[in-house]
Amino acid sequence: MTAQTEIFDCVVVGGGPSGATAADDLARAGRRVALLDRAGRIKPCGGAIPPRCIADFALPPELLVARIRSARMVSPKRRDVDMPIDGGFVGMVDREHFDEWLRERAAAAGARRIGGTFEAIARDPDGTAVVRYRPKGAPADAVAEIRARAVIGADGARSAVAKAEVKGGGAARCVFAYHEIVRSPVPATDGAFDPARCDVHYRGAVSPDFYGWIFPHGDTTSVGTGSARKGFALRDAVGKLRADVGLGAAETLRREGAPIPMKPLKRWDNGRDLVLAGDAAGVVAPASGEGIYYAMLGGRLAAEAVAEFLQTGKAKALAGARRRFMKEHGQVFFILGLMQAVWYRSDGMRERFVKLCRDPDVQRLTWDSYMNKRIRRSDPMAHLRVFFKDMAHLLRLATP
């Protein structure tokens, strides 16, 4: 075992958008931070980030590999509904480069990067956390240690940190996602492929309970799907989707799969010295599967909670991360979870859902809430109109 006597203010386990953001914020605040990351893993992800994410986290334009101007919703009966973004865009990033840029930014701010795989957490007699890990490239039985006054667990949906330290941690309900990164084709004259449009397929053959996607990333495109149903053949579904849209012969650059949590955990801290963030805390939006913005926000809130804990010594400060997140986004997560439960349960309901997306009020409110990450109440009549249209489809008073 490699001993280390240096004591950090915080060790962040996991170097994705959430962990890298937490490490960067703490380092910029003058804290001594270690960022422990298992290098080489790329999470399957559509790569979409809204303008608010770009602004809130000072992301430079060169990180964007594409700017999406519209979305196309495809129903089980192959009916297309285009949803243009009026005066805005959705930024697209490539996680292979985006995550590393965030880690490098944290290192430039003063965080110490350490390559390795988390193993366990122990405590010294004085209560200092001892994070044990296997260094990158070391033998399987090699163990090193990092000591810290606080820990942030940002190590993904099946978080080993959460499972070891937080009641109910590591057991979130997940959608299993799989995608293939392919070489982007030449834009089709018939509109079949548009490098400035995201296509979302609501078809049971592509996913029985979620959706399939085609998200352009400039020179490359992510083609993927997800499902919580055990035994559903994700790779076969992606192959079918690629064939259906004319991407079957496109060069495949890499394949990735991972679980994506669909509901925030009820507790994010251990009441002592540790708090969770990102997928480890379950902060991926239901229905849409959007996670980058929420992961980065979760990392920031975890960093704020740890900073307060370090300053005051009061462990209850750690619970503030979840409390602040749910205060700002709990309502949106509830609505999206309800929407997924209702509209995704069958092809018949998905057909009605896609038809509902034709409505101008639905499109405007959808894009407004996505771009700004809040539910606006400036137009109550639009919300009321959407409510009645929604009920008409649910009660089957409207034709699919």
Side-chain angles (χ1 to χ4, degrees):
M1 180 179 292
T2 302
Q4 185 172 345
T5 58
E6 181 180 9
I7 298 178
F8 291 89
D9 289 316
C10 182
V11 56
V12 181
V13 181
S18 186
T21 299
D24 182 56
D25 282 2
L26 284 169
R28 290 178 186 279
R31 295 295 182 178
R32 300 183 67 191
V33 185
L35 177 59
L36 174 65
D37 182 55
R38 183 185 66 183
R41 177 182 177 274
I42 307 171
K43 179 184 174 182
C45 176
I49 57 173
R52 181 172 174 182
C53 185
I54 297 169
D56 286 1
F57 298 99
L59 302 176
E62 56 266 27
L63 283 177
L64 302 183
V65 293
R67 292 172 183 252
I68 299 302
R69 304 291 180 177
S70 69
R72 172 169 288 179
M73 322 295 274
V74 184
S75 80
K77 294 182 180 179
R78 310 295 180 93
R79 294 171 176 169
D80 299 344
V81 173
D82 287 343
M83 299 177 62
I85 305 173
D86 186 17
F89 69 92
V90 174
M92 304 299 290
V93 298
D94 187 330
R95 291 291 298 271
E96 181 179 12
H97 306 293
F98 179 71
D99 290 19
E100 178 60 17
W101 185 89
L102 293 175
R103 290 188 286 266
E104 281 297 302
R105 179 166 72 170
R112 184 183 302 178
R113 292 185 63 176
I114 299 174
T117 302
F118 170 83
E119 296 286 343
I121 296 180
R123 301 290 187 304
D124 281 339
D126 64 358
T128 301
V130 182
V131 175
R132 293 174 178 162
Y133 68 98
R134 179 167 58 86
K136 181 183 178 182
D141 59 349
V143 179
E145 295 179 343
I146 311 172
R147 283 171 165 76
R149 296 168 61 197
V151 179
I152 293 177
D155 54 332
R158 294 292 187 241
S159 168
V161 174
K163 186 176 182 180
E165 290 285 324
V166 178
K167 184 178 180 180
R173 179 179 179 271
C174 291
V175 162
F176 291 86
Y178 169 78
H179 78 162
E180 296 177 359
I181 298 294
V182 304
R183 188 79 64 190
S184 295
V186 176
T189 56
D190 61 1
F193 177 81
D194 183 341
R197 186 189 71 220
C198 285
D199 293 358
V200 184
H201 289 252
Y202 293 100
R203 295 190 280 129
V206 174
S207 172
D209 53 352
F210 200 55
Y211 63 82
W213 67 83
I214 301 170
F215 288 177
H217 294 160
D219 293 337
T220 64
T221 294
S222 166
V223 185
T225 188
S227 176
R229 186 172 297 179
K230 291 184 178 180
F232 182 73
L234 296 173
R235 182 172 291 205
D236 290 347
V238 169
K240 178 176 176 55
L241 178 58
R242 287 180 59 174
D244 287 349
V245 300
L247 292 175
E251 180 187 1
T252 302
L253 302 176
R254 63 179 195 263
R255 297 177 172 90
E256 296 145 2
I260 299 176
M262 285 289 109
K263 188 175 182 179
L265 295 180
K266 293 183 178 180
R267 180 162 186 163
W268 295 2
D269 69 287
N270 67 351
R272 181 175 183 172
D273 58 2
L274 179 146
V275 63
L276 304 175
D279 282 11
V283 292
V284 176
S288 70
E290 182 196 358
I292 296 177
Y293 170 76
Y294 294 116
M296 295 180 75
L297 176 62
R300 174 155 291 173
L301 294 176
E304 291 175 357
V306 163
E308 184 179 347
F309 163 69
L310 293 172
Q311 182 177 359
T312 65
K314 297 179 179 179
K316 66 179 183 180
L318 299 171
R322 187 185 190 280
R323 184 173 61 252
R324 293 166 194 154
F325 184 95
M326 296 306 292
K327 181 179 180 180
E328 184 172 355
H329 298 287
Q331 184 181 15
V332 170
F333 272 52
F334 174 79
I335 292 171
L336 290 175
L338 186 63
M339 188 180 86
Q340 181 174 341
V342 171
W343 292 115
Y344 290 13
R345 67 175 185 257
S346 70
D347 270 0
M349 294 304 292
R350 283 188 278 265
E351 194 71 37
R352 292 175 178 274
F353 170 69
V354 172
K355 182 179 180 180
L356 190 63
C357 291
R358 293 184 184 277
D359 186 89
D361 288 326
V362 171
Q363 294 191 13
R364 181 162 53 86
L365 293 176
T366 296
W367 285 126
D368 188 60
S369 61
Y370 174 82
M371 308 283 270
N372 298 291
K373 288 291 168 276
R374 60 177 176 268
I375 299 176
R376 290 184 183 270
R377 294 176 175 79
S378 56
D379 189 353
M381 289 307 298
H383 286 276
L384 188 62
R385 287 193 297 270
V386 169
F387 171 77
F388 282 116
K389 293 166 187 173
D390 202 31
M391 291 304 296
H393 280 275
L394 286 174
L395 298 175
R396 300 182 183 274
L397 300 176
T399 57

